[in-house]
Amino acid sequence: MNDTALEQLKYPIGPFECPSPITENHIKEWISVLEKFPIRFEVLVKYLTKEQLDTRYRPDGWTIRQVVHHVSDSHHHSYTRFKWALTEDKPVIKAYNEADWAELHDSKNDPIQMSLEHIKAVHYKLVNLLKGLTDEDLNKSFIHPETNSEVLLSYNIGNYAWHSNHHYAHIENLLKRKGWI
Amino acid sequence: MNDTALEQLKYPIGPFECPSPITENHIKEWISVLEKFPIRFEVLVKYLTKEQLDTRYRPDGWTIRQVVHHVSDSHHHSYTRFKWALTEDKPVIKAYNEADWAELHDSKNDPIQMSLEHIKAVHYKLVNLLKGLTDEDLNKSFIHPETNSEVLLSYNIGNYAWHSNHHYAHIENLLKRKGWI
Amino acid sequence: MNDTALEQLKYPIGPFECPSPITENHIKEWISVLEKFPIRFEVLVKYLTKEQLDTRYRPDGWTIRQVVHHVSDSHHHSYTRFKWALTEDKPVIKAYNEADWAELHDSKNDPIQMSLEHIKAVHYKLVNLLKGLTDEDLNKSFIHPETNSEVLLSYNIGNYAWHSNHHYAHIENLLKRKGWI
Amino acid sequence: MNDTALEQLKYPIGPFECPSPITENHIKEWISVLEKFPIRFEVLVKYLTKEQLDTRYRPDGWTIRQVVHHVSDSHHHSYTRFKWALTEDKPVIKAYNEADWAELHDSKNDPIQMSLEHIKAVHYKLVNLLKGLTDEDLNKSFIHPETNSEVLLSYNIGNYAWHSNHHYAHIENLLKRKGWI
């Protein structure tokens, strides 16, 4: 597999490219993506067999099962970061080692249904939170400790809408290549 | 209201007193408390009216609504702390300002159902995780930045079983005093 | 066991005694019982072990598992009867052989969770329906083929509120006698 | 609109054509359709607006909202008919006036979420029941009073798999024609 092919497997919808400026319409559209994602995702993966769930979405990549649990972990942290930024002044968040979390016993072996329920609940709370943010809130930010970059909440909404679609595409493309859908 | 009466309102089941040593049976019992809590809690609060939900459980305390959203916030963080401790070496966690979180628009005003669903999902994942921990895992720990204290995971399981019952008692006692149950 | 003791096991809250006349307040109270029943019932039985679920609530009676599936069956029919009566003129309903239904493979052996979810969904729809009935609707009726009796919808609301509490008491009393709660 | 066009709107996937003989594979495939239908259906309709839900899928046809509530009603009856046939000898079932049910206040006006939850619960129980049927069970039947026809349970499984896809197609085709998906 050459680099371009691998890149295509890794970034099936490309990286997140943030529009500038971010308009009210962008925010609305992203929140709508976050709102609809949990059941779109559930319908994609719910009836896969154990063997299908344990198939890697690319060489050396995570299995579908790990991707599902990862989305649950990642959006769990995302929720926390939004609320930290709303209650502190440009807090340095604490990141997590996503590769190590994906190797824990539950991420590797356990039923995806619990993470599908979790994603529903977290998105429900997150979307409810985001719909009530003021312009001032949207301009609040947090600092990511690894890059020292400041992340605006408005940007972060787009980033997690993208992240939802990004992992959806990993799995959907695998299912298509395998002829499973 | 005198200090004792206030203390009784604040700590209806007393503070968490950790047994020493912590046995396998303690762990099992605590996990069972965590497993059963979400629907016990749901049945306690689900059919309260808006007015009841917006009643403080003690003078200057949170409303029932805020308590429900707080339990959701708090156990959300707890889940993260367990996994940080399992994937890093005695990490310093990042705490959250629980009083400020409880003043955000959703905690003060929004439906509790979303937090009840969230508590179910988070406890489901947490209980599944805890049931798979080895003795070595249970001896892992994290550092709380405010006190610099090292918190063992075995201790933390008991602490969140207590925390569940602690807030349950806040609400149950209020409902009894008011003659609502 | 003497007859009185057996009668007490069979009818722990007594038979349904319908008030006369049925007032608006009765209807409201009964609908409230129907609304709250599903999660009260869930919290009562959800964490019972397989052995507990397969224990008879009285000599020669159903097991807890069969009682749960029976409530699901029975209220399923109840929903249908309300709607038949609303869309036909005093229809003769078709009853069901509850003893035989309780002997089918799912009622005897299968997880209660599916019936708990079903009871939630059916009560949710039923309560929503009942809240929208007019006085004229409440005076509609159906005919039960076994007794040829005419059953008013207003009466039937009370009857199913009673039926909910009746089976709840069967199980709760067993759990108490066994020292399981 | 000519007759062919109307027929296409009414029967977008054609009528149910039962294979003869019905093999084990047909049964398996149909049960799989019934198992996957509830969340496929949910994802199709869950985020439609009030205006979209109140749009007719064809001239003089039901609105999307009515179709969703109808599927819930219809499969509710279907569940009952399977169990009647398993516990009685070729019972004459009691049908329901589907047009009148669709005009009740809840079918016309009320949130679809309650019927989506209901469809999930009923299909869950139905699929569990069907997976445990023996060949002898599959050859049991009921009599439909309007046509006096005898309906084999094996046939009925296929019929409701078709019925699921039939109404799914009504809505999906409308959404496509309107450019809503």
Side-chain angles (χ1 to χ4, degrees):
Chain A
M1 180 172 296
N2 63 28
D3 285 2
T4 319
L6 184 60
E7 197 64 12
Q8 173 57 24
L9 290 176
K10 282 188 175 171
Y11 291 95
I13 62 168
F16 175 48
E17 290 182 4
C18 193
S20 175
I22 297 173
T23 66
E24 217 173 294
N25 267 345
H26 292 126
I27 299 283
K28 243 174 131 165
E29 180 55 37
W30 292 334
I31 291 177
S32 171
V33 169
L34 291 170
E35 190 165 15
K36 294 175 184 175
F37 175 69
I39 61 165
R40 281 180 62 228
F41 197 48
E42 184 175 22
V43 88
L44 184 70
V45 298
K46 190 181 178 91
Y47 292 107
L48 298 175
T49 63
K50 198 180 161 341
E51 285 67 34
Q52 290 171 325
L53 288 171
D54 291 327
T55 306
R56 297 180 188 283
Y57 81 93
R58 66 166 172 83
D60 301 320
W62 286 329
T63 63
I64 295 178
R65 186 188 306 280
Q66 285 175 305
V67 172
V68 175
H69 290 309
H70 162 71
V71 171
S72 162
D73 286 341
S74 167
H75 295 199
H76 186 90
H77 281 276
S78 178
Y79 179 79
T80 312
R81 292 170 189 182
F82 276 104
K83 287 207 157 175
W84 271 330
L86 291 168
T87 53
E88 303 179 32
D89 185 20
K90 299 194 187 178
V92 179
I93 59 111
K94 175 164 170 61
Y96 74 110
N97 209 326
E98 65 180 44
D100 291 342
W101 284 47
E103 296 301 320
L104 288 173
H105 76 83
D106 53 350
S107 296
K108 289 197 73 165
N109 306 313
D110 292 347
I112 58 171
Q113 193 60 39
M114 64 181 179
S115 285
L116 294 174
E117 297 298 335
H118 175 263
I119 292 166
K120 278 188 221 176
V122 165
H123 275 238
Y124 193 69
K125 286 183 61 114
L126 181 60
V127 164
N128 180 75
L129 176 73
L130 298 180
K131 284 182 173 174
L133 297 188
T134 62
D135 285 350
E136 196 191 329
D137 290 333
L138 290 168
N139 278 312
K140 289 178 177 166
S141 59
F142 58 80
I143 311 293
H144 200 292
E146 283 160 19
T147 55
N148 260 320
S149 57
E150 181 178 344
V151 181
L152 281 175
L153 294 194
S154 55
Y155 171 96
N156 212 40
I157 299 173
N159 193 25
Y160 279 91
W162 169 84
H163 189 256
S164 299
N165 289 331
H166 170 67
H167 284 299
Y168 186 97
H170 283 149
I171 296 175
E172 187 182 38
N173 288 356
L174 172 68
L175 299 182
K176 283 181 180 165
R177 290 197 309 274
K178 291 281 189 182
W180 291 339
I181 54 172
Chain B
M1 180 171 298
N2 62 29
D3 284 3
T4 320
L6 185 61
E7 196 66 12
Q8 173 57 23
L9 289 176
K10 281 187 176 173
Y11 290 95
I13 61 168
F16 175 49
E17 291 182 3
C18 192
S20 175
I22 298 173
T23 65
E24 217 173 294
N25 267 345
H26 291 126
I27 299 283
K28 245 175 127 163
E29 180 55 37
W30 292 335
I31 291 177
S32 172
V33 169
L34 292 170
E35 190 165 14
K36 294 174 183 175
F37 174 69
I39 63 166
R40 279 180 63 229
F41 197 49
E42 184 175 21
V43 89
L44 184 70
V45 297
K46 191 182 178 91
Y47 292 106
L48 298 175
T49 63
K50 200 181 158 343
E51 285 67 34
Q52 291 172 324
L53 288 172
D54 291 327
T55 306
R56 297 181 188 280
Y57 82 93
R58 65 165 174 83
D60 299 321
W62 286 330
T63 62
I64 296 178
R65 187 188 305 280
Q66 284 175 305
V67 172
V68 175
H69 290 310
H70 162 70
V71 171
S72 162
D73 284 343
S74 166
H75 296 198
H76 186 90
H77 281 277
S78 178
Y79 179 80
T80 313
R81 292 170 189 182
F82 277 102
K83 286 207 155 173
W84 271 331
L86 291 167
T87 53
E88 303 180 32
D89 185 21
K90 300 195 185 176
V92 180
I93 58 109
K94 176 166 169 59
Y96 75 110
N97 210 326
E98 65 180 45
D100 291 342
W101 284 48
E103 296 301 321
L104 288 173
H105 77 83
D106 53 350
S107 296
K108 289 198 73 165
N109 307 313
D110 292 346
I112 59 169
Q113 193 60 39
M114 65 180 178
S115 284
L116 294 174
E117 297 298 333
H118 176 261
I119 293 167
K120 277 187 221 177
V122 165
H123 276 237
Y124 192 68
K125 286 183 61 116
L126 181 60
V127 164
N128 180 76
L129 177 73
L130 298 180
K131 284 182 174 174
L133 296 189
T134 62
D135 286 348
E136 196 192 327
D137 291 332
L138 290 168
N139 278 311
K140 289 178 177 167
S141 59
F142 58 82
I143 311 294
H144 200 292
E146 282 160 21
T147 55
N148 259 321
S149 58
E150 183 178 344
V151 181
L152 282 176
L153 294 195
S154 55
Y155 171 96
N156 211 41
I157 298 173
N159 193 26
Y160 278 92
W162 168 85
H163 189 256
S164 300
N165 289 330
H166 170 66
H167 284 299
Y168 186 96
H170 283 150
I171 297 176
E172 187 183 38
N173 288 356
L174 172 68
L175 299 182
K176 283 181 180 165
R177 289 197 311 274
K178 291 281 189 184
W180 292 339
I181 54 172
Chain C
M1 179 172 299
N2 62 28
D3 284 3
T4 319
L6 184 61
E7 197 64 14
Q8 172 58 22
L9 289 176
K10 281 188 175 172
Y11 290 95
I13 62 170
F16 175 48
E17 291 181 4
C18 193
S20 175
I22 297 174
T23 66
E24 216 174 294
N25 266 346
H26 292 126
I27 300 283
K28 243 175 130 167
E29 180 56 36
W30 292 335
I31 292 178
S32 171
V33 169
L34 292 171
E35 190 166 14
K36 293 175 184 174
F37 174 69
I39 62 166
R40 280 181 62 228
F41 197 49
E42 184 175 22
V43 88
L44 184 70
V45 297
K46 191 182 177 93
Y47 292 108
L48 297 175
T49 63
K50 200 180 159 341
E51 284 69 32
Q52 291 172 325
L53 288 171
D54 290 329
T55 306
R56 296 180 189 283
Y57 82 91
R58 65 166 173 83
D60 299 320
W62 286 331
T63 63
I64 296 179
R65 187 188 305 280
Q66 284 175 305
V67 172
V68 175
H69 290 310
H70 163 70
V71 171
S72 162
D73 285 343
S74 167
H75 296 199
H76 186 90
H77 281 276
S78 178
Y79 178 80
T80 312
R81 293 169 189 184
F82 277 102
K83 287 206 155 174
W84 271 330
L86 291 168
T87 53
E88 303 179 33
D89 185 20
K90 300 195 186 178
V92 179
I93 59 109
K94 176 167 170 58
Y96 74 109
N97 208 324
E98 66 180 44
D100 291 342
W101 283 48
E103 297 300 320
L104 288 173
H105 77 81
D106 53 350
S107 296
K108 289 197 72 165
N109 307 313
D110 291 347
I112 58 170
Q113 193 59 40
M114 64 181 179
S115 284
L116 295 174
E117 297 298 332
H118 176 261
I119 292 166
K120 276 187 222 176
V122 166
H123 276 237
Y124 192 68
K125 285 182 64 114
L126 181 60
V127 164
N128 180 75
L129 177 73
L130 298 179
K131 284 182 173 173
L133 296 188
T134 63
D135 285 350
E136 196 192 328
D137 291 332
L138 290 167
N139 278 311
K140 290 178 177 167
S141 59
F142 58 82
I143 312 294
H144 200 291
E146 284 160 18
T147 56
N148 260 321
S149 58
E150 182 179 343
V151 181
L152 281 176
L153 294 196
S154 55
Y155 171 96
N156 212 40
I157 299 173
N159 193 26
Y160 279 92
W162 169 84
H163 189 256
S164 299
N165 289 330
H166 170 66
H167 285 299
Y168 186 96
H170 283 149
I171 297 176
E172 187 183 37
N173 289 356
L174 171 68
L175 300 183
K176 283 181 181 166
R177 290 197 310 275
K178 291 280 189 184
W180 291 339
I181 54 172
Chain D
M1 181 172 298
N2 62 30
D3 284 3
T4 320
L6 184 60
E7 197 66 13
Q8 173 57 23
L9 289 176
K10 282 187 174 171
Y11 290 96
I13 63 169
F16 175 49
E17 292 182 3
C18 193
S20 175
I22 297 174
T23 65
E24 216 174 294
N25 266 345
H26 291 126
I27 299 283
K28 244 174 126 162
E29 179 56 36
W30 292 334
I31 292 177
S32 171
V33 169
L34 291 170
E35 189 165 16
K36 294 176 183 174
F37 174 69
I39 61 165
R40 279 181 62 228
F41 197 48
E42 184 175 22
V43 88
L44 184 71
V45 297
K46 191 183 178 92
Y47 292 107
L48 298 175
T49 63
K50 199 179 160 342
E51 286 68 34
Q52 290 172 325
L53 287 171
D54 290 328
T55 305
R56 297 181 188 281
Y57 82 91
R58 65 166 172 83
D60 300 320
W62 287 328
T63 63
I64 296 179
R65 187 188 305 280
Q66 285 175 304
V67 172
V68 174
H69 290 309
H70 162 71
V71 171
S72 162
D73 285 343
S74 165
H75 296 198
H76 185 91
H77 281 277
S78 178
Y79 179 80
T80 312
R81 292 169 189 184
F82 277 103
K83 286 206 156 175
W84 271 330
L86 291 168
T87 53
E88 303 180 32
D89 185 21
K90 299 195 187 177
V92 179
I93 59 110
K94 176 166 169 59
Y96 74 110
N97 211 326
E98 66 180 44
D100 292 342
W101 284 47
E103 296 301 320
L104 288 172
H105 76 83
D106 54 349
S107 296
K108 288 198 72 165
N109 306 314
D110 292 346
I112 59 170
Q113 193 59 39
M114 63 182 179
S115 285
L116 294 174
E117 297 297 334
H118 176 261
I119 293 166
K120 276 188 221 176
V122 166
H123 276 236
Y124 193 69
K125 285 183 62 116
L126 181 60
V127 164
N128 180 76
L129 177 73
L130 299 180
K131 284 182 174 175
L133 296 188
T134 62
D135 284 349
E136 198 192 326
D137 291 332
L138 290 168
N139 277 313
K140 290 178 176 165
S141 58
F142 59 81
I143 311 293
H144 200 291
E146 283 160 20
T147 55
N148 259 320
S149 58
E150 181 178 344
V151 181
L152 282 175
L153 294 194
S154 56
Y155 171 96
N156 212 40
I157 299 173
N159 193 27
Y160 279 92
W162 169 84
H163 189 256
S164 300
N165 288 330
H166 170 66
H167 285 298
Y168 186 97
H170 283 150
I171 297 176
E172 186 183 38
N173 288 357
L174 171 67
L175 300 183
K176 282 181 181 166
R177 290 197 310 275
K178 292 282 190 183
W180 292 339
I181 54 173

